Amino acid sequence: MKEFTMLRCAFLFLALLALPLKAATVTNLYQAQVVLPDTDKQSEQHAREKGLEQVLIKVSGQSSVGQNDVIRKAMANSGPYISQFGYGNLNGERTLELTFNSGQIRNLLTQAHSTIWSEQRPTILVWMVEDANREREIQWDQSGNSLELQVKRAAERRGLPVMMPIGDFDDVTAINIPDLWGGFVQPIADASMRYHPDAVLVVRARQKGSDDVELAWQLFTQKPEHLVNSQQAPSEGQAGGAVATATTEMINEVADRLAAKYAVPLGGVSEGKFAIQLANVQTTEDFFALERMLTNLTSVASVNANRLQGDKVTFDVNLLSTEDAFRRELGQDDRISEQPVDGQSTVDFGDGSVAIAKDTTADIELLIKPVDPQAVENGAEAPVDPSMVDVSATMEPVSGQIETYYWQP
């Protein structure tokens, strides 16, 4: 037990260097910037309330969260939730800069039986075609177009990581305006793959005046490689009016729909502790990446590796929410599957243990087949029986049926 813990710590540094990336990390969820029209106390109090609502919308993923009775009451007394404030400037206007306490915000959303959307959020690639004076043009990143700027501002207010195609040779040869205007999935998927987004938003914009636009959009909530064969139709919507108003309405609806998929409900009865088994854990990098992924799930309070046998690791999971919410979050990670990985080979260690592996490097054997340190002192490398390896120092295994998932890094 002690030796395995030391082994685990020894590999931690190297493993962290190899952790795979997932989605994007939003760093400003608990910050707000509100314009101050006047310098009186009433204006500042109103700005504090508005700033709290901005943050609650970003963190919960719900544009309507301010209508909750518990939230409305809290907004009238925003002081306890603010951890830092100052003054700034936005386009020549004086602003109040606010930072809110993340723990207090979470407690408030829990009391309101609302939802929470973690800092790990899906990256959205935005393809936009603008029709102005009967001429259509794809809006590329850094074009300076007012639509592009307003979309990015609205997305920042909702905590959505968005990007637009850069418009280089690869882009202009991969897709054309009719493909986007007609919503043809195959060319959209092919052109989007190079950006590795988690979702794709296709926008058709008709200019009606200098500051009047009609937007029609499609949101594909799958990665590009899954679009063509997906049985799920894209979400669709429309918005119109001033550019800032229309883009805000569109992004709000897009954010609400994504939050319905990714945000985790709070305030319900936690279903406590249960166990899951992950197979195809082949390397120390796999183990630490998997452990970190589970720990970072919004529905999880803590995880603890309980048992290691062959290529399988059993984790005890303490929940903050329900098992359904946990499974939904788990299923959103492409590295987790309910089916075995195709084309796996086995490694027989000659001691009665067999592990699934694509690789037979030394660190795999160290993870899956630890060496008995006392045997090493006596000059032999007698392997420890993998079925006897217990990697938990504080928790007992959870009894009952254990679900098995497959790790596919």
Side-chain angles (χ1 to χ4, degrees):
M1 167 61 205
K2 180 178 179 181
E3 288 74 15
F4 188 88
T5 302
M6 294 176 62
L7 173 66
R8 182 178 181 279
C9 294
F11 283 123
L12 178 58
F13 176 73
L14 292 176
L16 289 175
L17 298 178
L19 287 176
L21 300 177
K22 172 63 179 172
T25 302
V26 182
T27 58
N28 65 344
L29 288 182
Y30 296 92
Q31 298 171 356
Q33 182 182 46
V34 185
V35 173
L36 279 172
D38 296 301
T39 58
D40 58 90
K41 289 185 177 181
Q42 186 175 358
S43 294
E44 185 164 314
Q45 175 61 28
H46 179 69
R48 288 169 180 255
E49 294 175 9
K50 190 173 181 180
L52 177 57
E53 184 178 24
Q54 283 183 15
V55 165
L56 289 169
I57 289 172
K58 279 196 294 185
V59 176
S60 70
Q62 298 182 25
S63 60
S64 61
V65 70
Q67 299 173 16
N68 182 286
D69 291 338
V70 175
I71 299 297
R72 280 204 301 263
K73 184 176 180 180
M75 286 171 55
N77 182 28
S78 59
Y81 304 97
I82 298 173
S83 59
Q84 186 176 348
F85 74 93
Y87 300 94
N89 187 283
L90 177 65
N91 299 326
E93 295 185 285
R94 189 167 182 259
T95 59
L96 182 64
E97 314 281 338
L98 298 162
T99 300
F100 291 84
N101 183 282
S102 59
Q104 295 280 17
I105 293 297
R106 180 170 188 137
N107 289 340
L108 176 57
L109 291 173
T110 301
Q111 293 168 19
H113 289 227
S114 184
T115 56
I116 188 167
W117 195 358
S118 73
E119 295 178 351
Q120 297 295 317
R121 300 197 171 185
T123 303
I124 306 161
L125 177 65
V126 181
W127 292 99
M128 182 183 297
V129 179
E130 183 178 10
D131 185 339
N133 300 319
R134 297 185 179 181
E135 292 186 4
R136 294 174 180 172
E137 183 179 2
I138 299 175
Q139 298 303 316
W140 307 109
D141 191 33
Q142 304 298 325
S143 67
N145 178 276
S146 61
L147 275 170
E148 175 209 351
L149 296 175
Q150 292 295 341
V151 165
K152 289 180 177 179
R153 287 174 185 170
E156 184 177 7
R157 287 194 296 268
R158 288 302 303 267
L160 286 184
V162 299
M163 58 181 170
M164 299 186 73
I166 59 178
D168 61 0
F169 179 79
D170 289 340
D171 281 336
V172 298
T173 55
I175 200 165
N176 55 48
I177 291 172
D179 292 332
L180 292 169
W181 198 267
F184 294 105
V185 175
Q186 185 72 66
I188 291 172
D190 291 343
S192 300
M193 283 187 189
R194 65 183 297 214
Y195 294 99
H196 306 288
D198 300 291
V200 179
L201 178 64
V202 180
V203 183
R204 300 185 297 276
R206 292 183 185 273
Q207 285 288 354
K208 297 296 184 179
S210 59
D211 190 35
D212 189 11
V213 67
E214 288 183 357
L215 304 178
W217 51 269
Q218 290 179 303
L219 174 66
F220 300 87
T221 58
Q222 309 90 357
K223 291 178 180 289
E225 55 266 33
H226 303 311
L227 292 187
V228 175
N229 297 323
S230 174
Q231 300 298 314
Q232 181 181 348
S235 301
E236 297 183 347
Q238 296 181 335
V243 172
T245 302
T247 52
T248 297
E249 181 181 342
M250 175 182 71
I251 292 298
N252 278 341
E253 192 165 350
V254 167
D256 285 351
R257 297 193 185 193
L258 287 172
K261 177 179 180 181
Y262 290 99
V264 172
L266 294 172
V269 177
S270 169
E271 295 185 3
K273 183 170 67 175
F274 75 112
I276 62 168
Q277 184 179 79
L278 277 299
N280 196 37
V281 181
Q282 304 168 23
T283 67
T284 53
E285 287 83 1
D286 285 346
F287 177 83
F288 289 118
L290 177 57
E291 184 181 53
R292 181 173 177 175
M293 182 274 292
L294 291 172
T295 301
N296 287 340
L297 295 181
T298 307
S299 57
V300 170
S302 64
V303 297
N304 201 24
N306 180 278
R307 186 180 181 85
L308 175 65
Q309 183 174 17
D311 77 316
K312 299 179 179 66
V313 182
T314 301
F315 288 93
D316 288 346
V317 182
N318 279 310
L319 294 178
L320 292 169
S321 187
T322 65
E323 290 187 24
D324 285 343
F326 169 78
R327 292 188 186 94
R328 182 155 56 92
E329 269 200 292
L330 194 65
Q332 290 160 7
D333 196 304
D334 291 340
R335 296 167 293 174
I336 300 295
S337 171
E338 295 184 11
Q339 301 298 325
V341 183
D342 293 333
Q344 292 173 333
S345 59
T346 60
V347 177
D348 189 342
F349 293 124
D351 61 355
S353 65
V354 177
I356 299 174
K358 294 178 291 188
D359 194 323
T360 56
T361 56
D363 64 326
I364 298 176
E365 294 196 29
L366 286 171
L367 174 64
I368 299 178
K369 193 185 93 169
V371 173
D372 184 343
Q374 180 149 4
V376 173
E377 289 179 5
N378 296 331
E381 289 195 12
V384 176
D385 181 355
S387 66
M388 299 302 294
V389 176
D390 183 352
V391 296
S392 171
T394 60
M395 298 175 63
E396 294 297 324
V398 179
S399 59
Q401 185 176 3
I402 298 178
E403 298 178 47
T404 299
Y405 296 87
Y406 297 86
W407 176 246
Q408 301 186 61

